[in-house]
Amino acid sequence: MSWKRERPETPRGYHHGNLKEELVRAALGLIREKGPNGFTFAEAARMAGVSPAAPYRHFRDRDELLADVAARGFQAFEAALSRAWDQGRPDPETAFHRLGRAYLAFAHDEPAYYAAMFEAGVPLDASAELRAAADSAFACLRQASEALIAQLPQGKRPPALMMALHIWAMSHGIAALFGRADGGRRPLPMSASDLLEAGTLIYLQGLGIGRNSPPKPD
Amino acid sequence: MSWKRERPETPRGYHHGNLKEELVRAALGLIREKGPNGFTFAEAARMAGVSPAAPYRHFRDRDELLADVAARGFQAFEAALSRAWDQGRPDPETAFHRLGRAYLAFAHDEPAYYAAMFEAGVPLDASAELRAAADSAFACLRQASEALIAQLPQGKRPPALMMALHIWAMSHGIAALFGRADGGRRPLPMSASDLLEAGTLIYLQGLGIGRNSPPKPD
DNA sequence: AGCTCATGTAAGGAGCGCTAACATGCGGGT
DNA sequence: ACCCGCATGTTAGCGCTCCTTACATGAGCT
């Protein structure tokens, strides 16, 4: 068994072999610990055990690495949301609340991704991938909104886009204000997840989709 | 007329006379143009026409200046919200929507303040003033929520704190995602203000405070 | 085997946060 | 009226980061 480079750690030759991925991992760790601003190109290089100039072979500058992290974040986000929505099974309302919990769980469990996506000031058109990933994630929310709205009688259907924007805004607002791993900026009387679920219930009730006000199929 | 220091600009003596205020003004300008991270202590000093070390006589470090800006922001924010709420005149619902518009108007018209308050990562307990100002602003929202809830019959009143958190989250979510001066990260089918008003209407409807479902005073 | 080019390194300029030591002059005490 | 204290400014400088330029290495193709 004469492998070439399987040792997981330090001793490596002149070429790293997988620097780009390792830089992304290092960036995630640094962002998680010190926020998207505390993250430093030089320190990521140090973590990967290469010289401070090496990262520039893989990313034009610091912002491009941040944009790459954000794009990967949106991809993971979209995957998590899609999995939670599960095509609306067993019924749209159950799936919708599961979607909301998945949103907050992502923000809570992947603070580095979430920060890169929403708090680092990365412009969405920094790359085509980033834009596409962000659009996919939003499309998931919009799709779920459409499924719920379809339960309403023809005349009383609000625009699905608007509903998706409302839900996104409420979710992001709760995540940003109260959903951080450190408990957020302000003590809450309930968990962020429960807060979002309650808000969603009230909002859906307002639309006439409440569990206690089914669209009488008369 | 032998004044001492009334010329508004450049020629000044060894002592500036009003450096602290000028640094805050410079910080606001820089944050507005380049975001809370692009803001630089040295550049603020340059704008005030002073050496790079001078600011340290007024702020322990860069973070303390940022915290001061955030605190002033929350004070202005609270003033704007209180003015909009106007003690619930002429009726709580009208005033409530006016409050929502004021929220978004502040985020839109004072992006530097808003960024320092919510996007700069300033911990709320950076200073007692900051904490107090932030609490006052939230108290305004909570007070408005209580006034609206008071319209409901005793049995059907949700916790005012929860309602305030929901409204804050939706407002902040819309401001953060779509309410920037540059139009936000994503094109909208309607203005951020209208989006919030629609969302609030639906939410209130869900609580039974909708204009079309008044609390039948049977 | 030898070439080529992606990927690494070394060195350095410009800018920033922050500190230390020194300069200035406003204002209060005698 | 004087003088001295102290708040507020200055210069000099350390260590760090971002990024560029010129050079070194070695993996893989022909």
Side-chain angles (χ1 to χ4, degrees), chain A residues 137-156:
Chain A
F138 180 68
C140 184
L141 248 174
R142 175 169 176 153
Q143 208 175 346
S145 298
E146 270 163 2
L148 275 196
I149 284 177
Q151 296 187 323
L152 289 174
Q154 284 277 0
K156 311 181 63 174

Side-chain angles (χ1 to χ4, degrees), chain A residues 14-16 51 57-58:
Chain A
Y14 190 89
H15 289 286
H16 183 287
S51 80
R57 294 296 176 189
H58 299 274

Side-chain angles (χ1 to χ4, degrees), chain A residues 14 19 28 35 46-48 62 66 81 87 107 115 119 126 139-140 149 168 174-175 190 197 202 207 213-214 216:
Chain A
Y14 190 89
L19 184 53
L28 280 173
R46 221 173 295 139
M47 282 187 136
R62 184 182 172 280
L66 227 44
L81 295 187
Q87 301 176 1
E119 296 162 25
C140 184
I149 284 177
W168 185 305
I174 289 177
M190 56 206 301
E197 175 141 11
I202 294 168
L207 286 180
S213 62
K216 308 252 173 64

Side-chain angles (χ1 to χ4, degrees), chain A residues 30 39-47 50-52 55-56:
Chain A
L30 289 174
F39 150 68
T40 268
F41 223 42
E43 192 161 359
R46 221 173 295 139
M47 282 187 136
V50 296
S51 80
Y56 291 90

Side-chain angles (χ1 to χ4, degrees), chain B residues 91-213:
Chain B
D91 64 277
E93 291 174 38
T94 302
F96 201 69
H97 291 296
R98 206 171 48 213
L99 184 64
R101 280 192 297 276
Y103 191 113
L104 289 187
F106 184 89
H108 180 273
D109 298 338
E110 300 283 4
Y113 272 141
Y114 202 80
M117 291 154 64
F118 292 112
E119 295 161 25
V122 178
L124 268 203
D125 49 350
S127 81
E129 273 184 342
L130 176 55
R131 167 72 66 183
D135 284 351
S136 292
F138 180 68
C140 184
L141 248 174
R142 175 169 177 154
Q143 207 175 347
S145 299
E146 270 165 0
L148 275 197
I149 283 177
Q151 296 187 322
L152 289 174
Q154 283 277 0
K156 309 182 66 175
R157 295 181 182 170
L161 173 55
M162 186 189 75
M163 173 175 168
L165 293 172
H166 283 150
I167 295 298
W168 185 305
M170 178 119 91
S171 305
H172 174 69
I174 288 177
L177 293 175
F178 320 113
R180 317 309 295 161
D182 64 354
R185 312 180 77 176
R186 181 175 298 277
L188 283 187
M190 56 208 297
S191 78
S193 203
D194 290 348
L195 184 64
L196 177 58
E197 175 141 12
T200 304
L201 276 171
I202 295 169
Y203 180 87
L204 292 182
Q205 186 82 31
L207 286 180
I209 314 184
R211 280 200 161 91
N212 298 332
S213 62

Side-chain angles (χ1 to χ4, degrees), chain B residues 14-16 51 53 57-58:
Chain B
Y14 192 90
H15 291 286
H16 182 289
S51 83
R57 296 293 177 193
H58 298 274

